[in-house]
């Protein structure tokens, strides 16, 4: 269709450099080459009556085709052999025919009768292959023959032939779309097929021919769900994707009543609308004002039956299930897919590429899901750049206040990468973190400013661009930075960066009134040599300065505008003219002139730095369209959930006559032998007949009804049909059962259910395997908990994350000199200066979180308790020091009711106990947070730690450095505050820095590990400044460390809290001496 | 789904093509070549390339690009996974030479992954438990992230239709698993036993991830001192490595590679053992260390000459490690029993353990 053979040949001949090496091959060369005779040679071989010669010739011909050579002139010679008895020759002839029939339609017709004969062959494999080839020949004349053949094959006894019929459908459809109606009939028939072999192929045909005919799926829905696990891998992908779309049209969103559910879990959980009238319990649901959500059992069936496929070895299957859960599952259940997706990151880089794109989209909507796997997205220097950038995207999406310090520390490493594209992307990522997480904005900004003195110009340029965006959010506080950037115009050459700086200075010229005109002066000088985007910004700057400070800049502006007037670029000439009219008042300039200031100096909204993956989930995940972020040909939209659920009874199945015979036939032939989970499958009976161990395991979980399923137990289905009226009544009960049944499952044996008939799906839902019962049981439990507890559990998750922070034991590096100090200082700002941030948590590189023992394992009789100062504001009370407590149960028994008892605080001291831990299983570890207001004193807080059997007296004594929280301030503020705290409030001590503690990095690390302080930027290179506020009274603590000659240094602490100051001096000196 | 397939070798020749639907001109590959040029490195060619009328999905293996041409929506992983399977099949197939003279009978078998009528005089089943440690170690030697991924590869030559079960002493270690389709999922769910009718020959039975709660033992440590000085065009380079938590086993097959910054001209190094190569073009240093002898730790020391006039590189190179430890599954996973049902003969069974470095990186 697409290419004429001659063209293909030309292409092939000219582009193939390997040509000469094929020269010796008799089969090589095309119709233009002189070796026509060699084809004669092949013809001769084909005409011989020796199969071996024919085979040899066919092999060469097929090899020619594979190399893209034209072999069409051999058509008559080859086609003669279509009737050859030798199956090997025959196969190769078929390959040839499929390739060239389209071009030689008349001759191709000669072969048709052979296939027609093949279609009647007693061997199912021959029948199938005849149909396969027949349907692959793209000759419009034979459409009616193909149609007939497909129809016949669709009723073949052999499932393999029926599968081939399904494969033939899309081929015929693409040849002649007028056949659609007839093909739909065949599809409908094949959809009803109950063998796993056919299922995938027919759904594929359905998707290609009539994806809009969702009604065809209703009756087959439950069967497809149940067969799924035994369908071959590729079929699974197609079916799962189709069922995702189906479910979106037929069921209600499981997350629609989210808020309600949280408030009113219990009622919503039990209640179902229909029950209201009869059931007293349901009265409550009415009170809930809103219609409670009840998941359709069929919806649940789909979720349950796809879940085991997350364990598939096939990445496409795992992805298909993951997208199904993402689009269909209740929020609380989506999490299960994260682990499987993270597993795929171990696969080939192409797989990683696709998976990461999807994870990037998912992580925006459901961040919590991937948070536990944060480290799996850490970047290795050996990753390809495209993978690095995607991982960076995911890391950025996952950043939140809890983990941002860890992430920023990773980013520091990335900035030192040799891969400059990646470094640029990292800087952008830092910018995004800064926008999204207000608390680290200053930290990031500082870090980026430090990067401005980086040696690599690209790094500097990228930083400038990002800083510009960040500054726009709160320009007033950052005139220092703007000044700093103004200086950079002398050095930075990257046009984008220069333009950004100029824009910044123009926009905030009022914050830097002295510098701005000077910058303009310099730029006017170099104007003619600047790039266009820079020129435009120079004009812009000139205009803004003219409006705010016309005295100093009038002449300069005139000069710039004159230069621009004669620029080569007409955009620039145009802009200059426009601006002159706008800002320079003349008689002609009219009304606009008055508003020039408003036009130029209007408040401009800060740019929003957001992920390019935002909202990409309106495309079905895992699809090509999602990956390209553009609708691909043939993409089926993922519909929105309906407001009202369509009638669920459409999925109830009547039993057609022929079901029985196929099923009987199947049992006899044992074509089906499923190996995965089978309790829901039709395979139950076959399976148990075949393999002992499995049926055993199957039964133990799912009791008697497990064997009954769509095809395995037609009798039951027939019953069901008779009882269909009854069924509608039962429906309500069923629904209830679907909800609470899982919970009750253990108590209430399914046999006990009044012996009434059941729909297969319902059975499946109640008669789960043991594991899934417990699964949904716990899920039910989880749902029943009241909203506070669900909140608590989310908190728990974030607390657990703290484990990630507990840094591995830092091994002091013997050779600290190898650290490239320049970069370390470049980057310190990234982590070290922020009031709300927790420098110590950040990094083992800078400081280690010290863990203290609260209760030794021996003293605690197997209960070991450790604590550390999390260095984060204690939620709810800013005057408390947050203490993270980690309790491990090393006993053999469960520890219950773990709580704080009888705190005996000294006067004024307050203790906020952690919520009681109800159970702690043996070997488990729980992490909780408690807050203590130490009243700015280092007195110990005493309390009892109780379990259900024992109580232990424990106490926490804080090091003085933990009684404070970092404060961010500028150099000037620091000096100002320091001036207020002289005399009595100042303590000075001299010290000698040990050899190990000479580098900036180590000093900062040691100091911040000794005290929870924030770094203050400092102009002098031999000085370090830190600031903090005491937690209770908020008194400032200012620390200055000044290095003198040699290893001498002087430590100064300014604080009105003299006691704290004195103790802190001692602690810091000790820390630095280590 | 897949319209056509093109195979492109390292020098950019399309040396094989196959069309399933109509013939797509090989000129469509020009879009691919363009993307390849843009990407500069093979591994950075986007696996999905949209063109005006087609989509090109490709995988890169054995220095060959397998480029599939697609015309309409299809899950990209479907194609990519399929292409990888094609490559796997090629790999298997080119071991033997004959064109199969059989019809695809496997499709009709009771167990589609196993041929019927398999017969051997020696019945044997071998299982290799292979674990890989993926780790990032920071410059101070502390572990940033470390995890263990394992696989069980099997080589099974058993007559008839054997039904095997394999159980572990400590199945709880396995946090996340994925199975060959032959494994009965239900049985695993309920009893943590691998129950399966094996395919004939080589196959991967199971891949697993060891739960993150368990601390990962890091079997080697690397001490490094790599410094570039601003003033001179010389730098120092020194690596020493030693065994750490090896459970008394020998670490062997050790190989160190490191990508040096562009400004490194040459390296003059002396290894205490093994051989090393520095490629001044790719700037790749590799050191084939061999075994680590705890009594005499291997080291590689010397100087680095930098391009004169350029400032010292900002970045320090990352050190990539490979190693092997025989007879050890570092997670502690142990196979408990292997039983066979369904056939009468007594097969020969063997289980081997091995630990390897996966993506093992030391930042400096």
């Amino acid at each position: 269709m697409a290419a004429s053979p001659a063209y293909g040949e030309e292409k092939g001949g000219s582009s193939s450099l390997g040509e000469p090496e094929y020269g010796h091959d008799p089969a090589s060369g095309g119709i233009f080459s002189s070796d026509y005779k060699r084809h004669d040679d092949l013809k001769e071989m084909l005409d011989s009556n020796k199969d071996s010669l024919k085979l040899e010739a066919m092999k060469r011909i097929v090899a020619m085709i594979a190399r893209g050579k034209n072999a069409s002139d051999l058509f008559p010679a080859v086609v003669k052999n279509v009737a050859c008895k030798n199956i090997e020759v025959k196969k190769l002839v078929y390959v040839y025919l499929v390739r060239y029939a389209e071009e030689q339609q008349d001759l191709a017709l000669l072969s048709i009768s052979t296939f027609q004969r093949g279609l009647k062959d007693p061997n199912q494999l021959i029948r199938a292959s005849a149909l396969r080839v027949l349907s692959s020949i793209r000759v419009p004349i034979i459409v009616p023959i193909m149609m007939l053949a497909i129809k016949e094959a669709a009723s073949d006894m052999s499932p393999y032939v029926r599968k081939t019929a399904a494969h033939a459908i899309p081929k015929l459809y693409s040849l002649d779309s007028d056949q659609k109606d007839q093909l739909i009939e065949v599809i409908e028939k094949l959809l009803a097929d109950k063998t796993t072999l056919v299922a995938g192929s027919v759904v594929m045909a359905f998707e290609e021919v009539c994806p809009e005919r969702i009604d065809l799926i209703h009756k087959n829905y439950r069967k497809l769900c149940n067969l799924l696990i035994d369908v071959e891998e590729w079929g699974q992908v197609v079916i799962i994707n189709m069922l995702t779309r189906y479910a979106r049209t037929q069921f209600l969103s499981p997350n629609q009543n989210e808020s309600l559910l949280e408030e009113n879990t219990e009622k919503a959980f039990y209640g179902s609308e229909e029950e209201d009238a009869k059931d007293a319990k349901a009265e409550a649901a009415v009170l809930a004002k809103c219609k409670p959500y009840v998941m359709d059992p069929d919806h649940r069936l789909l979720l349950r039956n796809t879940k085991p496929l997350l364990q598939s070895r096939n990445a496409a299957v795992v992805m298909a299930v993951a997208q199904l859960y993402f689009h269909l599952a209740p929020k609380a259940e989506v999490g299960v897919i994260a682990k499987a997706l993270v597993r795929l990151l171990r696969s080939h880089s192409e797989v990683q590429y696709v998976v990461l794109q999807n994870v990037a989209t998912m992580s925006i909507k459901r961040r919590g899901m991937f948070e536990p796997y944060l480290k799996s997205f850490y970047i290795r220097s050996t990753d390809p750049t495209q993978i690095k950038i995607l991982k960076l995207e995911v890391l950025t999406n996952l950043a939140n206040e809890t983990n941002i310090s860890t992430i920023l520390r990773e980013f520091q490493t990335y900035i030192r990468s040799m891969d400059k594209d990646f470094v640029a992307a990292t800087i952008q990522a830092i910018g995004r973190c800064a926008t999204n997480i207000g608390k680290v904005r200053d930290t990031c900004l500082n870090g980026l400013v430090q990067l401005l003195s980086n040696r690599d110009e690209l790094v500097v340029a990228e930083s400038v661009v990002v800083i510009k965006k960040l500054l726009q959010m709160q320009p007033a506080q950052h005139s220092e930075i703007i000044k700093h950037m103004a200086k950079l115009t002398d050095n930075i050459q990257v046009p984008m960066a220069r333009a950004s700086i100029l824009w910044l200075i123009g926009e905030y010229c009022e914050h830097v009134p002295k510098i701005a005109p000077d910058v303009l002066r310099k730029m006017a000088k170099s104007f003619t040599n600047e790039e266009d985007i820079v020129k435009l910004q120079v004009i812009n700057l000139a205009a803004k300065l003219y409006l705010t400070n016309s005295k100093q800049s009038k002449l300069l502006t005139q000069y710039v505008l004159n230069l621009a007037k004669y620029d080569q670029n007409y955009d620039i000439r145009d802009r200059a003219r426009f601006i002159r009219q706008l800002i320079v008042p003349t008689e002609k300039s009219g009304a606009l002139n008055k508003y020039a200031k408003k036009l130029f100096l209007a408040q401009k909204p800060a740019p929003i730095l957001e992920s390019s993956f935002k909202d990409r989930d309106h495309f079905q995940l895992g699809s090509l369209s999602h990956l390209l972020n553009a609708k691909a040909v043939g993409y089926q939209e993922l519909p929105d959930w309906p407001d009202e659920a369509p009638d669920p009874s459409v999925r109830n199945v009547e039993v057609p006559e022929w079901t029985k015979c196929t099923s009987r036939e199947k049992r006899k032939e044992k074509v089906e032998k499923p190996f995965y989970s089978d309790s829901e499958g039709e395979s139950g009976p076959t399976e148990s007949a075949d393999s002992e161990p499995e049926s055993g395991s199957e039964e133990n979980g799912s009791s008697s009804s497990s064997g009954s399923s769509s095809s395995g137990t037609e009798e039951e289905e027939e019953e069901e049909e008779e009882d269909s009226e009854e069924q509608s009544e039962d429906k309500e009960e069923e629904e209830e059962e679907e909800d609470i049944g899982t919970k009750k499952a253990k108590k209430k044996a399914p046999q006990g259910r009044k012996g009434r008939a059941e729909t297969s799906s319902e059975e499946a839902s109640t008669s789960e395997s043991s594991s899934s019962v417990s699964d949904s049981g716990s899920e039910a439990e989880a749902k029943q908990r009241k909203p506070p507890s669900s909140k608590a559990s989310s908190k728990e998750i974030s607390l657990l994350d703290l484990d990630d922070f507990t840094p591995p034991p830092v091994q002091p590096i013997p050779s600290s000199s190898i650290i490239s100090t320049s970069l370390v200082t470049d980057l310190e700002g990234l982590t070290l200066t922020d009031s709300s941030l927790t420098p110590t948590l950040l990094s083992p590189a800078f400081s280690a979180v010290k863990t203290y023992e609260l209760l030794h394992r021996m003293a605690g009789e197997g209960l070991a308790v450790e604590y550390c100062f999390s260095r984060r504001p204690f939620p709810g009370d800013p005057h408390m020091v947050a203490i993270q407590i980690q309790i491990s149960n090393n006993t053999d028994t469960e520890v219950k009711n773990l709580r704080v008892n009888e705190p005996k605080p000294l006067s004024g001291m307050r203790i906020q106990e952690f919520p009681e831990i109800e159970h702690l299983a043996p070997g488990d570890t729980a992490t909780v947070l408690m807050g203590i207001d130490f009243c700015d004193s280092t007195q110990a807080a005493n309390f009892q730690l109780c379990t259900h059997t024992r109580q232990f007296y424990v106490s926490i004594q804080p090091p003085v450095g933990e009684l404070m929280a970092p404060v961010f301030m500028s150099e000037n503020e620091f000096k100002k505050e320091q001036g207020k705290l002289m005399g009595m409030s100042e303590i000075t001590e001299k010290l000698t820095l040990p050899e190990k503690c000479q580098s900036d990095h180590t000093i900062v690390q040691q100091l911040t590990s000794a005290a929870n302080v924030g770094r203050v930027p400092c102009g002098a290179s031999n000085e370090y400044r830190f600031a903090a506020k005491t937690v209770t009274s908020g008194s400032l603590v200012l620390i200055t460390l000044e290095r003198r000659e040699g290893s001498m240094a002087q430590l100064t602490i300014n604080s009105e809290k003299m006691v704290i100051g004195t103790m802190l001096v001692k602690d810091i000196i000790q820390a630095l001496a280590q | 789904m897949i319209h056509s397939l093109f195979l492109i070798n390292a020098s950019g020749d399309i040396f094989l093509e196959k069309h399933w639907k109509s013939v797509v001109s090989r000129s469509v590959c020009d879009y691919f070549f363009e993307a390849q040029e843009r990407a500069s490195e093979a591994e950075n060619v986007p696996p999905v390339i949209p063109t005006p009328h087609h989509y090109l999905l490709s995988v890169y293996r054995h220095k060959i690009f397998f480029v599939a041409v697609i015309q309409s929506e299809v899950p990209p992983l479907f194609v990519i996974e399929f292409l990888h399977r094609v490559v796997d099949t090629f790999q298997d197939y080119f071991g033997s030479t004959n064109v199969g003279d059989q019809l695809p009978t496997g499709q009709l078998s009771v167990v589609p992954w196993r041929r019927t009528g398999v017969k051997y005089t020696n019945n044997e089943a071998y299982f290799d438990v292979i674990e890989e440690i993926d780790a990032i170690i920071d410059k101070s030697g502390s572990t940033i992230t470390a995890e263990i991924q394992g696989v069980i590869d099997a080589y099974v030559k058993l007559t008839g239709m054997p039904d095997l079960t394999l159980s572990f002493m400590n199945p709880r270690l396995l946090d996340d698993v994925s199975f060959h389709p032959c494994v009965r999922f239900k049985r695993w769910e309920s009893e943590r036993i691998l129950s399966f009718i094996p395919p004939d020959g080589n196959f991967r039975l199971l891949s697993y991830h060891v739960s993150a709660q368990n601390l990962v033992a890091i079997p080697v440590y690397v001490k490094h001192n790599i410094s570039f000085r601003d003033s001179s065009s010389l730098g120092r380079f020194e690596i020493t490595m030693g065994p750490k938590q090896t459970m008394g086993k020998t670490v062997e097959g050790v190989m160190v590679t490191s990508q040096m910054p562009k400004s490194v001209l040459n390296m003059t190094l002396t290894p205490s053992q093994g051989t090393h190569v520095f490629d001044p073009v790719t700037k790749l240093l590799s050191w084939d260390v061999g075994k680590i002898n705890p009594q005499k730790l291997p080291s590689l020391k010397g100087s680095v000459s930098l391009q004169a006039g350029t400032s010292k590189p900002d970045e320090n190179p990352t050190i990539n490690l490979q190693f092997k430890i025989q007879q050890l599954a570092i997670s502690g996973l142990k196979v408990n029993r292997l039983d066979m049902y369904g056939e009468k003969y007594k097969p020969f069974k063997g289980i081997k353990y091995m630990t390897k470095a996966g993506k093992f990186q030391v930042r400096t």
Side-chain angles (χ1 to χ4, degrees), chain B residues 201-212:
Chain B
N202 284 310
F203 66 101
R204 176 155 295 173
L205 179 65
L206 170 78
S207 313
Y208 62 89
H209 179 266
V210 174
S211 87

Short mmCIF file of all heavy atoms in Angstrom, two decimals, chain B residues 201-212:
data_model
loop_
_atom_site.label_atom_id
_atom_site.label_comp_id
_atom_site.label_asym_id
_atom_site.label_seq_id
_atom_site.Cartn_x
_atom_site.Cartn_y
_atom_site.Cartn_z
N GLY B 201 14.27 -27.08 29.79
CA GLY B 201 15.50 -26.32 29.53
C GLY B 201 15.71 -25.15 30.47
O GLY B 201 15.36 -25.23 31.64
N ASN B 202 16.27 -24.08 29.90
CA ASN B 202 16.59 -22.90 30.71
C ASN B 202 15.41 -21.98 30.86
O ASN B 202 14.72 -21.68 29.89
CB ASN B 202 17.71 -22.10 30.03
CG ASN B 202 19.04 -22.75 30.21
OD1 ASN B 202 19.43 -23.09 31.33
ND2 ASN B 202 19.75 -22.97 29.11
N PHE B 203 15.18 -21.50 32.05
CA PHE B 203 14.14 -20.48 32.23
C PHE B 203 14.34 -19.79 33.57
O PHE B 203 15.04 -20.29 34.44
CB PHE B 203 12.74 -21.10 32.16
CG PHE B 203 12.43 -22.05 33.29
CD1 PHE B 203 11.66 -21.64 34.36
CD2 PHE B 203 12.90 -23.36 33.27
CE1 PHE B 203 11.38 -22.52 35.39
CE2 PHE B 203 12.62 -24.24 34.29
CZ PHE B 203 11.85 -23.82 35.36
N ARG B 204 13.75 -18.62 33.69
CA ARG B 204 13.80 -17.88 34.96
C ARG B 204 12.52 -18.16 35.73
O ARG B 204 11.44 -17.77 35.32
CB ARG B 204 13.96 -16.39 34.69
CG ARG B 204 13.91 -15.56 35.96
CD ARG B 204 14.64 -14.26 35.79
NE ARG B 204 16.07 -14.50 35.57
CZ ARG B 204 16.93 -13.54 35.25
NH1 ARG B 204 16.52 -12.32 35.12
NH2 ARG B 204 18.20 -13.83 35.07
N LEU B 205 12.69 -18.84 36.83
CA LEU B 205 11.53 -19.26 37.61
C LEU B 205 10.94 -18.09 38.39
O LEU B 205 9.72 -17.93 38.46
CB LEU B 205 11.97 -20.36 38.59
CG LEU B 205 10.92 -20.91 39.53
CD1 LEU B 205 9.84 -21.63 38.74
CD2 LEU B 205 11.54 -21.85 40.55
N LEU B 206 11.81 -17.28 38.95
CA LEU B 206 11.34 -16.29 39.91
C LEU B 206 12.30 -15.12 39.94
O LEU B 206 13.50 -15.30 39.83
CB LEU B 206 11.32 -16.97 41.30
CG LEU B 206 11.09 -16.14 42.54
CD1 LEU B 206 9.61 -15.83 42.67
CD2 LEU B 206 11.54 -16.89 43.79
N SER B 207 11.75 -13.93 40.07
CA SER B 207 12.59 -12.78 40.41
C SER B 207 12.05 -12.25 41.72
O SER B 207 10.84 -12.25 41.93
CB SER B 207 12.47 -11.67 39.37
OG SER B 207 12.57 -12.19 38.09
N TYR B 208 12.91 -11.79 42.57
CA TYR B 208 12.42 -11.30 43.85
C TYR B 208 13.23 -10.11 44.33
O TYR B 208 14.32 -9.83 43.86
CB TYR B 208 12.42 -12.41 44.90
CG TYR B 208 13.80 -12.98 45.22
CD1 TYR B 208 14.61 -12.44 46.20
CD2 TYR B 208 14.27 -14.10 44.52
CE1 TYR B 208 15.85 -12.96 46.49
CE2 TYR B 208 15.51 -14.63 44.80
CZ TYR B 208 16.31 -14.07 45.78
OH TYR B 208 17.54 -14.59 46.06
N HIS B 209 12.60 -9.45 45.29
CA HIS B 209 13.23 -8.31 45.94
C HIS B 209 13.22 -8.63 47.42
O HIS B 209 12.21 -9.10 47.93
CB HIS B 209 12.42 -7.06 45.62
CG HIS B 209 12.95 -5.83 46.25
ND1 HIS B 209 12.51 -5.38 47.45
CD2 HIS B 209 13.91 -4.98 45.85
CE1 HIS B 209 13.18 -4.28 47.76
NE2 HIS B 209 14.03 -4.02 46.80
N VAL B 210 14.33 -8.40 48.07
CA VAL B 210 14.37 -8.71 49.49
C VAL B 210 13.88 -7.50 50.26
O VAL B 210 14.21 -6.37 49.95
CB VAL B 210 15.80 -9.08 49.92
CG1 VAL B 210 15.89 -9.26 51.41
CG2 VAL B 210 16.23 -10.33 49.20
N SER B 211 13.06 -7.78 51.26
CA SER B 211 12.34 -6.70 51.92
C SER B 211 13.32 -5.69 52.50
O SER B 211 14.41 -6.02 52.98
CB SER B 211 11.44 -7.24 53.02
OG SER B 211 12.16 -7.36 54.20
N ALA B 212 12.90 -4.44 52.43
CA ALA B 212 13.80 -3.33 52.75
C ALA B 212 14.12 -3.27 54.24
O ALA B 212 15.06 -2.61 54.64
CB ALA B 212 13.18 -2.03 52.28
#
